[in-house]
């Protein structure tokens, strides 16, 4: 069992495409940097250029683009003065009171509440008061003081628009690269899961409905895809965005930035608490989805039986029960999400703005002075931006937990012990099979085969007969190594099969089942299974050898006639003939017929029996049969009862023994006579 955590294994899959993800993250970081310059640029425009005219002005001797003509003198903002610039004795300061602007020939020593009485400006701060003589500026004079700021404002706004265009380009690139990486990761994961399904032992499928396994390959991996496409993309984006905002806040005000950092542990704690509560519901939801898929798959396959036995109402009730349980658990999870995500973000946002008001309000009544409008705007803007990624993170917690649970289910399948694929080649063996004191149990407690010993020589036919559950199919399962024996040995040409690679020694074995399985494709592809080593000529020869050309020649596309899933457009006999041809095309050394003629009409069976006389030449053939009339020519017949061989011999020898085989034969003969009579 793989001991890595689910998160670590998801991270390992992401590392497979780390280059693409790294490029996406770099583009994301650049986009965030470009976007987050907005409030800083706005602060600069407001404080330095729009509100900057209230800065002290000094008289200058030389005119330039930053000077303003007032009362026949040139003035320049003190902040724009360069070292070595000559200045006169006159100085000015502009003050806004209400919607009007006033000019005084003194520089304000402090700022506070402003009031105008005629031409006198009064500023009050606490117990301190100061008065200044002022003149009101008309519209033309005011615009003259703003004129030097227009060009810098336009340049800054143009610069910000350019940054937004760059940010949009990088955001597009980031989304494209992350989604491309996510799709590649899930493609790889689905391939791994499907390939692993081919390697897990047959007993893995014994107690697991096909629909539940399909659910892990499709639904669960799709939930994981959402993890990479949405959840991780959101977490990456939000993380980098929040980091950028915190850095900007530290540039503006370190104390308040430290306070807002408390959001990070709050989100982490909330995430842990949410996962603990939501995990249970997500496990139940994924399980119910799996159950629903399993039932739908079973119902579709068994639709003829459901309708024939009028089980539609009962089947619908069973489905509605599963669907209702899924609905209940989904609603509980939705209630949890509704209770947490929206409320959490609102509480955090309101609490943060309370701290913001308290902090800046305290500054305004302290010696630190009133906070600038640009500073206040930048902080409010950054805090508003900060809560968008917080909202995104909290809203993705549900999807994160669903993906984590889905990943656990997928990795549980991948952790099932599989059989390594051996690419080597095993020479075609003769086909001399020997069972020596073989015992086997499916559950580890009750033996279904007990001390089975027999030998099948090359070119001979061995028939296995007995009641249902006597162990006939179990012998074939062990021969194919679908299961490993508990005790004893099975050898082919003297070699222990447990020492041979499963895939390689099965290459020289062929099987025809009672209920043949055909894949979607054509008749030809169902015979060759798209094996490049089997030519079209070999396919046609195999079909002709079993007599299938009789119905194939009547089809519009002959050997390229389309075959639907499970061969639903063909009769049972036609499907069986194709299945026989498939076994023959692979030219097996060992051929197994598992009730292969049970569902075939008498005429088709007679045709196949003739074909078998040819195809059995030089091959070891095992036949499982209930109709004893089909195995009269077998070289050896093994009669099984409760996992033991109770009789063995040819057809005539067993009849002469007048034992269990004789009773079975007489019973079948009696049934046939009674039908005729």
């Amino acid at each position: 069992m793989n001991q890595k955590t689910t998160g670590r294994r998801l991270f390992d899959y992401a590392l497979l495409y780390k280059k693409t993800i790294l490029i996406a993250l770099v583009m994301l970081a650049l986009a965030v940097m470009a976007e987050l310059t907005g409030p800083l640029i706005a602060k600069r425009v407001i404080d330095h250029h729009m509100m900057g005219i209230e800065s002290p002005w000094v008289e200058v001797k030389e005119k330039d683009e930053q000077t303003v003509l007032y009362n026949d003198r040139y003035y320049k903002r003190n902040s724009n003065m360069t070292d070595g610039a000559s200045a006169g004795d006159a100085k000015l300061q502009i003050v806004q009171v209400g919607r009007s602007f006033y000019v005084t020939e003194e520089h304000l020593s402090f700022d506070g509440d402003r009031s105008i009485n005629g031409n006198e400006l009064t500023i009050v701060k606490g117990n301190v008061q100061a008065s200044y003589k002022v003149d009101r500026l008309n519209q033309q004079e005011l615009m003259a003081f703003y004129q030097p700021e227009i060009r810098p404002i336009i340049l800054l706004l143009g610069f910000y628009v350019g940054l937004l265009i760059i940010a949009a380009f990088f955001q597009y690139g980031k989304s494209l690269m992350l989604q491309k990486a996510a799709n590649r990761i899930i493609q790889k994961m689905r391939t791994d899961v499907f390939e692993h399904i081919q390697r897990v032992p047959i007993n893995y499928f014994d107690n697991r409905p096909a629909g539940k396994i399909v659910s892990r390959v499709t639904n669960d991996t799709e939930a994981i895809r959402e993890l990479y496409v949405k959840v991780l993309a959101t977490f990456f984006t939000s993380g980098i965005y929040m980091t950028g905002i915190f850095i900007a806040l530290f540039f503006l005000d370190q104390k308040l930035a430290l306070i807002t950092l408390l959001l990070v542990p709050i989100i982490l704690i909330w995430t842990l608490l949410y996962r603990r509560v939501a995990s249970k519901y997500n496990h139940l939801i994924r399980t119910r989805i799996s159950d629903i898929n399993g039932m739908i798959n079973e119902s579709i396959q068994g639709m003829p039986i459901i309708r024939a036995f009028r089980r539609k109402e009962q089947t619908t009730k069973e489905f509605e029960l599963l669907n209702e349980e899924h609905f209940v658990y989904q609603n509980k999870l939705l209630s949890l999400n509704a209770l947490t995500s929206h409320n959490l973000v609102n509480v955090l946002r309101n609490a943060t703005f309370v701290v913001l008001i308290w902090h800046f309000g305290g500054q305004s009544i302290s010696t630190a002075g009133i906070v600038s409008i640009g500073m206040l705007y930048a902080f409010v803007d950054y805090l508003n931006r900060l809560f968008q990624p917080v909202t995104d993170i909290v809203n993705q917690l549900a999807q994160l937990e669903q993906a984590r649970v889905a990943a656990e289910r997928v990795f549980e399948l991948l952790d099932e012990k599989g059989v390594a694929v051996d690419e080597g080649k095993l020479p075609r063996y003769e086909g001399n099979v020997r069972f020596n004191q073989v015992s086997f149990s499916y559950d580890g407690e009750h033996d279904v085969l007990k001390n089975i010993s027999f030998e099948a020589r090359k070119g001979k036919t061995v028939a296995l007969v007995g009641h249902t559950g006597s162990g006939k199919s179990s012998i074939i399962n062990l021969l194919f190594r679908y299961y490993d024996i508990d005790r004893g040995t099975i050898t082919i040409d003297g070699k222990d099969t447990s020492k041979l690679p499963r895939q390689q020694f099965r290459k020289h074995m062929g099987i025809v089942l009672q209920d043949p399985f055909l894949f979607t494709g054509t008749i030809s592809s169902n015979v060759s299974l798209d094996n490049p080593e089997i030519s079209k000529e070999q396919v046609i020869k195999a079909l002709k050898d079993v007599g299938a050309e009789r119905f194939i020649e009547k089809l519009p596309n002959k050997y390229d006639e389309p075959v639907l899933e499970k061969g639903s457009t063909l009769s049972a006999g036609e499907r069986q003939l194709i299945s026989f041809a498939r076994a023959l095309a692979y030219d097996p050394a060992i051929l197994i017929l598992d009730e292969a003629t049970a569902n075939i009409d008498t005429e088709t069976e007679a045709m196949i029996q003739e074909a078998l006389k040819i195809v059995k030449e030089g091959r070891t053939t095992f036949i499982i049969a209930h109709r004893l009339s089909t195995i009269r020519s077998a070289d050896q017949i093994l009669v099984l009862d409760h996992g033991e061989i109770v009789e063995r011999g040819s057809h005539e020898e067993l009849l002469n023994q007048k034992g269990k085989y004789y009773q079975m034969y007489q019973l079948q003969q009696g049934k046939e006579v009674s039908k005729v009579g």
Side-chain angles (χ1 to χ4, degrees):
M1 180 74 176
N2 198 318
Q3 297 301 313
K4 287 185 180 180
T5 63
T6 301
R8 175 63 189 175
R9 297 176 73 173
L10 288 171
F11 181 71
D12 288 343
Y13 267 99
L15 286 179
L16 295 174
Y17 303 94
K18 56 182 178 290
K19 183 178 179 181
T20 304
I21 295 175
L22 184 61
I23 293 173
L25 294 182
V26 170
M27 297 180 78
L28 173 60
L30 293 173
V32 169
M33 289 171 58
E35 286 184 18
L36 292 183
T37 56
L40 294 177
I41 292 175
K43 178 182 179 299
R44 174 77 178 178
V45 169
I46 293 171
D47 285 348
H48 189 74
H49 297 291
M50 297 178 68
M51 303 301 297
I53 64 169
E54 292 196 7
S55 301
W57 294 73
V58 294
E59 183 185 0
V60 293
K61 303 298 183 181
E62 298 177 358
K63 178 184 177 182
D64 61 28
E65 61 181 12
Q66 292 180 328
T67 58
V68 176
L69 179 64
Y70 180 72
N71 288 340
D72 298 325
R73 293 179 178 178
Y74 288 104
Y75 291 90
K76 192 173 186 177
R77 277 172 51 183
N78 204 9
S79 58
N80 292 335
M81 293 290 290
T82 58
D83 294 338
S86 59
D89 296 330
K91 52 186 177 181
L92 296 175
Q93 186 156 355
I94 298 173
V95 181
Q96 182 180 7
V97 182
R99 299 181 64 181
S100 299
F101 287 83
Y102 300 84
V103 62
T104 176
E105 294 182 352
E106 300 179 64
H107 287 174
L108 304 183
S109 57
F110 63 90
D111 200 4
D113 293 332
R114 305 170 181 178
S115 62
I116 288 289
N117 184 12
N119 289 334
E120 185 176 322
L121 167 69
T122 302
I123 298 178
V124 179
K125 182 174 183 180
N127 297 324
V128 183
Q129 179 176 318
S131 297
Y132 303 91
K133 185 180 178 181
V134 295
D135 293 318
R136 184 174 180 177
L137 293 173
N138 58 39
Q139 189 70 24
Q140 184 178 358
E141 291 171 330
L142 178 63
M143 289 305 299
F145 278 98
Y146 269 119
Q147 190 63 38
E149 312 303 327
I150 293 177
R151 185 171 181 274
I153 290 175
I154 292 174
L155 290 176
L156 284 172
L157 293 179
F159 177 65
Y160 183 50
V161 170
L163 288 177
L164 289 180
I165 294 173
I166 294 172
F169 170 77
F170 284 129
Q171 286 283 10
Y172 167 76
K174 176 267 300 183
S175 299
L176 186 66
M177 299 296 279
L178 278 181
Q179 293 203 34
K180 180 179 178 181
N183 288 330
R184 283 294 186 189
I185 291 168
I186 297 306
Q187 181 186 36
K188 168 67 175 166
M189 185 177 291
R190 280 180 174 157
T191 300
D192 289 348
V193 173
F194 187 77
E195 288 181 350
H196 192 71
I197 289 174
Q198 312 301 315
R199 293 194 293 267
V200 294
I202 291 294
N203 58 4
Y204 176 81
F205 304 96
D206 289 345
N207 301 315
R208 292 175 177 83
K212 291 189 176 184
I213 299 175
V214 170
S215 179
R216 299 199 182 193
V217 181
T218 55
N219 293 11
D220 289 339
T221 53
E222 184 62 23
I224 300 172
R225 191 185 76 86
E226 294 299 307
L227 167 71
Y228 288 109
V229 171
K230 291 184 179 178
V231 181
L232 293 187
T234 298
F235 275 56
F236 283 142
T237 304
S238 301
I240 293 177
Y241 210 82
M242 290 174 68
T243 301
I245 291 175
F246 282 129
I247 292 173
L249 289 177
F250 270 102
F251 276 118
L252 295 174
D253 190 302
Q254 294 183 1
K255 183 178 179 181
L256 191 57
L258 286 171
I259 295 173
T260 55
L261 269 177
L262 291 174
L263 291 173
V264 176
I266 291 174
I267 293 172
L268 291 176
I269 293 171
W270 193 267
T271 301
L272 293 174
L273 292 175
Y274 174 86
R275 287 182 59 182
R276 181 171 296 181
V277 178
S279 178
K280 178 180 70 173
Y281 293 138
N282 277 300
H283 273 287
L284 292 169
I285 289 170
R286 304 309 300 182
T287 301
R288 288 301 174 273
I289 291 176
S290 180
D291 292 339
I292 288 172
N293 282 345
M295 184 175 184
I296 291 174
N297 182 71
E298 186 180 61
S299 299
I300 292 174
Q301 291 191 11
M303 192 60 69
I305 301 299
I306 291 173
R307 294 187 176 182
F309 288 89
R310 300 180 300 281
R311 296 289 296 170
K312 178 180 178 293
E313 184 176 346
Q314 180 64 27
T315 303
T316 302
K317 286 181 179 179
E318 292 174 2
F319 178 82
E320 287 177 352
L321 178 61
L322 290 175
N323 208 17
E324 179 65 23
E325 289 178 354
H326 176 267
F327 172 79
V328 169
Y329 295 135
Q330 192 75 271
N331 261 11
K332 289 182 178 180
L333 186 61
L334 289 174
S335 299
L336 176 64
N337 294 336
L339 179 66
T340 56
S341 59
H342 183 70
N343 291 339
L344 171 65
V345 175
N346 276 343
V347 169
L348 293 177
R349 179 187 286 111
N350 293 336
T352 306
F353 276 104
V354 167
V355 173
L356 175 70
I357 294 170
W358 170 80
H359 178 72
F360 285 134
Q363 277 193 2
S364 68
I365 60 176
S366 69
T367 57
I370 297 175
V371 177
S372 71
I373 295 176
M375 172 73 81
L376 188 60
Y377 171 82
F379 249 99
V380 172
D381 194 344
Y382 277 129
L383 287 179
N384 276 325
R385 289 169 183 256
L386 179 63
F387 282 98
Q388 185 55 52
V390 171
T391 303
D392 292 341
I393 288 175
V394 173
N395 287 341
Q396 288 297 331
L397 290 179
Q399 191 69 48
L400 170 66
E401 191 57 29
Q402 289 178 23
R404 190 184 67 82
V405 172
E408 286 180 2
R409 289 162 52 83
V410 171
F411 291 137
E412 179 186 339
L413 171 56
L414 287 173
D415 287 337
E416 286 290 330
K417 187 177 180 182
V419 180
V421 177
D422 192 309
E423 299 294 341
K425 291 187 177 181
L426 187 69
R428 191 176 190 274
Y429 41 73
E430 294 293 318
N432 299 302
V433 178
R434 181 180 179 84
F435 276 59
N436 183 29
Q437 296 294 307
V438 172
S439 296
F440 171 69
S441 170
Y442 287 104
D443 57 12
E445 296 180 5
H446 306 94
D447 285 345
V448 294
L449 293 178
K450 306 167 187 175
N451 300 319
I452 300 295
S453 297
F454 67 87
E455 185 174 6
R457 306 297 298 174
K458 173 186 175 182
K460 302 297 183 181
T461 300
V462 176
L464 306 174
V465 300
H467 60 78
T468 300
S470 61
K472 304 184 299 297
S473 295
S474 296
I475 289 177
I476 301 304
N477 288 338
L478 295 182
L479 181 60
F480 265 95
R481 279 196 69 193
Y482 290 150
Y483 303 89
D484 287 324
I485 59 177
D486 298 325
R487 298 180 300 278
T489 57
I490 301 175
T491 62
I492 296 179
D493 296 346
K495 297 178 181 178
D496 191 341
T497 58
S498 64
K499 304 290 187 352
L500 300 174
R502 280 183 169 88
Q503 293 89 350
Q504 299 310 317
F505 89 85
R506 285 177 189 160
K507 181 179 180 180
H508 305 299
M509 302 174 71
I511 188 169
V512 181
L513 301 172
Q514 177 179 351
D515 186 14
F517 191 93
L518 299 186
F519 297 91
T520 301
T522 64
I523 291 178
S524 180
S525 68
N526 265 282
V527 173
S528 67
L529 297 181
D530 294 322
N531 187 338
E533 296 180 3
I534 299 177
S535 65
K536 186 68 174 287
E537 290 71 23
Q538 289 174 290
V539 169
I540 295 174
K541 182 178 186 303
L543 287 166
K544 288 182 176 180
D545 285 344
V546 299
E549 80 276 8
R550 290 176 53 189
F551 79 88
I552 291 177
E553 290 297 330
K554 299 177 183 178
L555 298 174
N557 299 299
K558 304 292 190 297
Y559 297 95
D560 293 321
E561 180 72 15
V563 175
L564 301 182
E565 183 182 1
K566 298 176 70 175
S568 57
T569 57
L570 301 173
S571 69
E574 290 169 345
R575 292 197 299 271
Q576 194 64 284
L577 288 173
I578 295 173
S579 182
F580 264 99
R582 176 194 298 163
L584 298 181
Y586 275 77
D587 189 26
I590 299 174
L591 179 63
I592 293 98
L593 307 178
D594 188 355
E595 288 289 337
T597 59
N599 296 330
I600 295 178
D601 59 86
T602 306
E603 182 180 356
T604 304
E605 181 185 356
M607 182 171 54
I608 290 179
Q609 291 291 351
E610 286 298 317
L612 283 177
K613 292 179 181 178
I614 300 172
V615 300
K616 287 193 299 184
E617 289 292 330
R619 294 186 175 91
T620 306
T621 306
F622 289 86
I623 301 176
I624 296 178
H626 282 106
R627 287 192 292 182
L628 304 184
S629 58
T630 62
I631 57 170
R632 291 182 180 181
S633 60
D635 299 292
Q636 182 180 193
I637 299 173
L638 304 179
V639 183
L640 288 98
D641 185 42
H642 293 95
E644 297 181 275
I645 298 177
V646 293
E647 295 177 12
R648 69 180 72 203
S650 65
H651 176 73
E652 296 298 331
E653 290 171 347
L654 291 175
L655 287 180
N656 293 334
Q657 290 181 20
K658 297 190 181 296
K660 197 169 192 65
Y661 181 84
Y662 176 80
Q663 294 174 0
M664 294 168 61
Y665 185 75
Q666 288 296 107
L667 182 62
Q668 289 190 11
Q669 289 295 103
K671 284 184 178 180
E672 291 176 7
V673 170
S674 65
K675 285 180 183 178
V676 175

